């Protein structure tokens, strides 16, 4: 019996030990999940504030040179070098600030924006060539140069506020005919390219996002830019291009109006249904009560008739019995 008790106690100790280990493992697992969630949340990119540089489509540090008919939608300016060549063939929908106070303030804000973009993280490493890739929102980094041959697809996953930040340690170069494509709500206004030296956009390419280059930006022939070309220290060179300052789209007000109308119609239908159901129920109840009353009345009449018939029969029987008594 002593041996049996010892075995039971030993088994109980082993069970408690396993339970303790199980609890510890579970706690470690939960901690790992929490760390992963926190890490994932901190990795989300945030929009880079451009300040007064936001209104500019083209901004340079050492002059702007243009060849051929170029269309710029947004403001234009350069400082501290204010030289601008070929502006006669530029169609500007905005203001050419040249080197005025507005341009100078925008250049100061551009420095802040550049530093903000370069400091975002944590980052995900990217290959030297982004062509053929589909990327989710986030911060992407290359210690050296970034290239694009073919198509880069940016997928917002249905979130119109999703932000993409690309950090190139040195240059950004896109090939001729290359393209940056946006899907599932992605917007050019939320794409930022921080370039450690200079950027060159290839002939006939389509580029989306705001370029924040430390040195210069060269936009070759026939390029379409949905964004901004902002060079902090160097020049911006254009050649028969179309550059449109990107703006974030807002949800149309008509959507809210449509939703309200639909809700009102649904409420009216529900009210009608409820009223009809109540009326039908009331009518049925009244009919049932009337039927019961009629049946009860008929039964009472039948019972009274039977009682009356029995009394009449009894009254006939008594004289007969009296007559029989006299005869006897």
């Amino acid at each position: 019996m002593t041996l049996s008790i010892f075995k039971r106690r030993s088994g109980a100790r082993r069970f408690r030990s396993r339970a303790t280990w199980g609890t510890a493992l579970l706690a470690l697992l939960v901690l790992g999940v929490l760390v992963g969630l926190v890490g994932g949340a901190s990795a989300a990119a945030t929009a880079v504030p451009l300040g007064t540089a936001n209104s500019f489509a083209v901004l340079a540090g050492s002059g702007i040179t243009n060849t051929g008919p170029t269309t710029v939608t947004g403001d234009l300016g350069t400082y501290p070098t204010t030289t601008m060549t070929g502006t006669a063939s530029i169609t500007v929908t905005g203001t050419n600030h040249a080197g005025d106070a507005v341009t100078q303030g925008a250049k100061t804000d551009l420095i802040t924006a550049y530093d903000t973009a370069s400091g975002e993280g944590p980052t995900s490493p990217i290959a030297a060539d982004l062509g053929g890739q589909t990327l989710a929102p986030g911060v992407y980094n290359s210690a050296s140069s970034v290239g694009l041959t073919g198509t880069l697809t940016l997928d917002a996953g249905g979130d119109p506020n999703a932000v993409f930040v690309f950090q190139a340690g040195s240059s950004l170069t896109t090939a001729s005919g290359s393209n940056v494509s946006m899907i599932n709500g992605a917007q050019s206004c939320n794409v930022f390219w921080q370039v450690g030296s200079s950027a060159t956009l290839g002939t006939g390419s389509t580029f989306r996002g705001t370029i924040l280059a430390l040195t210069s930006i060269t936009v070759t022939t026939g390029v379409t830019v949905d964004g901004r070309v902002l060079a902090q220290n160097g020049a911006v060179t254009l050649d028969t291009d179309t550059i449109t300052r990107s703006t974030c789209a807002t949800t149309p007000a008509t959507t809210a109006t449509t939703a309200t109308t639909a809700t009102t119609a649904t409420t009216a239908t529900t009210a009608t249904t409820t009223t009809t159901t109540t009326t039908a129920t009331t009518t049925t109840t009244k009919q049932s009560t009337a039927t019961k009353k009629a049946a009860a009345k008929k039964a009472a009449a039948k019972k009274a008739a039977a009682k009356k018939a029995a009394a009449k029969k009894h009254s006939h029987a008594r004289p007969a019995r009296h007559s029989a008594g006299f005869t006897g």
Side-chain angles (χ1 to χ4, degrees), residues 144-178:
S144 56
S145 61
V146 172
L148 173 59
T149 302
T151 299
L152 166 65
T153 303
L154 302 181
D155 185 352
D159 180 8
N161 298 315
V163 176
F164 302 79
V165 176
F166 295 89
Q167 301 167 339
S170 57
S171 63
L172 167 66
T173 305
T174 68
S176 298
S178 61

Side-chain angles (χ1 to χ4, degrees), residues 37-284:
L37 290 174
V38 172
S42 63
T46 57
V48 178
L50 298 175
T52 56
N54 181 68
S55 67
F56 284 78
V58 179
L59 184 60
S62 60
I64 297 173
T65 301
N66 175 66
T67 302
T70 292
T71 301
V72 175
T73 301
D75 293 345
L76 195 70
T78 176
Y79 183 84
T81 301
T82 59
T83 304
M84 302 179 74
T85 305
T87 54
S89 59
I90 299 179
T91 301
V92 180
T93 303
T95 302
N96 183 352
H97 288 284
D100 68 8
V102 176
T103 297
Q104 294 173 37
K107 283 299 302 297
T108 299
D109 289 343
L110 173 57
I111 294 172
T112 302
Y114 179 91
D115 292 341
T116 299
S118 65
E120 288 214 25
T123 63
S124 298
I126 49 176
D129 195 322
L130 296 173
Q133 297 189 51
T134 298
L135 299 178
V139 183
Y140 298 92
N141 176 273
S142 171
S144 56
S145 61
V146 172
L148 173 59
T149 302
T151 299
L152 166 65
T153 303
L154 302 181
D155 185 352
D159 180 8
N161 298 315
V163 176
F164 302 79
V165 176
F166 295 89
Q167 301 167 339
S170 57
S171 63
L172 167 66
T173 305
T174 68
S176 298
S178 61
N179 177 44
V180 177
S181 176
M182 319 287 281
I183 63 173
N184 294 325
Q187 301 192 74
S188 300
C189 62
N190 289 323
V191 181
F192 303 90
W193 303 81
Q194 178 261 319
V195 182
S197 58
S198 298
T200 302
L201 305 182
T203 303
S205 61
T206 299
F207 190 84
R208 291 180 172 84
T210 295
I211 299 176
L212 307 167
L214 182 63
T215 312
S216 62
I217 300 174
T218 300
V219 186
T220 59
T221 309
V223 176
T224 299
V225 177
D226 180 9
R228 301 172 182 80
V229 288
L230 311 178
Q232 188 176 147
N233 300 315
V236 172
T237 303
L238 308 174
D239 183 1
T240 318
D241 305 306
T242 300
I243 302 173
T244 304
R245 181 180 69 90
S246 57
T247 56
C248 289
T250 56
T251 305
T254 51
T255 303
T257 304
T258 304
T260 303
T261 304
T263 304
T264 304
T266 304
T267 305
T269 304
T270 305
T272 304
T273 305
T274 305
T275 304
T276 304
T277 304
T278 305
T279 304
T281 303
T282 305
T283 303
T284 304

